[in-house]
Amino acid sequence: MTLKTLISAKTFIISVATTIQVAAFSQANIKPAINLFERQQYTECAEALEAVLRTNERDGKTNFYLGAAYVMSRKNVSEGIRRLKFSQLKLHNIDSYFYLGRAYQMQYEFEQAITSFDRFMRTAKNENMIAQASQWRTECQNSIPLASKIFNVRVIDKYRVTPDSLLFV
């Protein structure tokens, strides 16, 4: 072997070791955030996971929990969708379809929500989550006709009301 080959092999080994070390560090730091998530403290969970993501932004598990926390806390739902989709590329967690369905429902994208809930319910095992997904799916199904009706309001007569013409009790 040449010196150049040895140096490149050593560099590769060091970079792999560093990557493993960063991944192990982020997995150790994610446990308290997962506990917050399981206790349904989604805002605190998101804050803890944002700090963890600064060290390893490409971790699938961290992105999954952060996306789910964003969705369930109803804060930054579009970022939650982005994180959940990214986590699906890294690790295939069927629960991501549950949270994606909820996010789509909150953004009035009912067809996508129904598709996500259906994918979740096909292979999910958690009965409570399946029941919740079924309820949200039904809500989406019932919302489609309502969301598609757009009414044009026609003003027949208009006049201004003065404050002294109102009844004050």
Side-chain angles (χ1 to χ4, degrees), residues 1 5-21:
M1 289 189 154
T5 309
L6 287 174
I7 291 174
S8 65
K10 185 177 180 182
T11 305
F12 175 75
I13 291 171
I14 291 172
S15 67
V16 169
T18 304
T19 304
I20 291 170
Q21 185 179 19

Side-chain angles (χ1 to χ4, degrees), residues 88 92-99 114-131 133-134 137:
Q88 286 179 333
H92 187 72
N93 186 344
I94 194 66
D95 292 350
S96 63
Y97 291 108
F98 175 81
Y99 296 108
I114 290 169
T115 303
S116 293
F117 288 136
D118 287 343
R119 286 187 80 178
F120 169 75
M121 289 188 293
R122 254 184 266 138
T123 56
K125 293 178 177 41
N126 185 329
E127 293 298 323
N128 293 333
M129 289 177 76
I130 291 171
S134 178
R137 187 193 184 286

Side-chain angles (χ1 to χ4, degrees), residues 20-51:
I20 291 170
Q21 185 179 19
V22 167
F25 176 74
S26 67
Q27 291 303 315
N29 287 340
I30 195 175
K31 288 181 183 180
I34 292 173
N35 290 335
L36 290 170
F37 185 86
E38 289 170 350
R39 291 193 310 258
Q40 298 179 354
Q41 296 174 341
Y42 301 117
T43 305
E44 295 85 357
C45 174
E47 291 170 0
L49 290 171
E50 287 168 353

Side-chain angles (χ1 to χ4, degrees), residues 103-155:
Y104 289 137
Q105 180 187 18
M106 287 192 286
Q107 293 196 331
Y108 305 102
E109 297 173 14
F110 300 119
E111 289 87 5
Q112 285 182 299
I114 290 169
T115 303
S116 293
F117 288 136
D118 287 343
R119 286 187 80 178
F120 169 75
M121 289 188 293
R122 254 184 266 138
T123 56
K125 293 178 177 41
N126 185 329
E127 293 298 323
N128 293 333
M129 289 177 76
I130 291 171
Q132 184 66 62
S134 178
Q135 177 186 348
W136 286 339
R137 187 193 184 286
T138 303
E139 290 173 4
C140 290
Q141 195 68 43
N142 294 336
S143 298
I144 290 173
L146 298 174
S148 64
K149 292 183 180 180
I150 300 172
F151 298 100
N152 291 328
V153 178
R154 188 176 69 157
V155 178

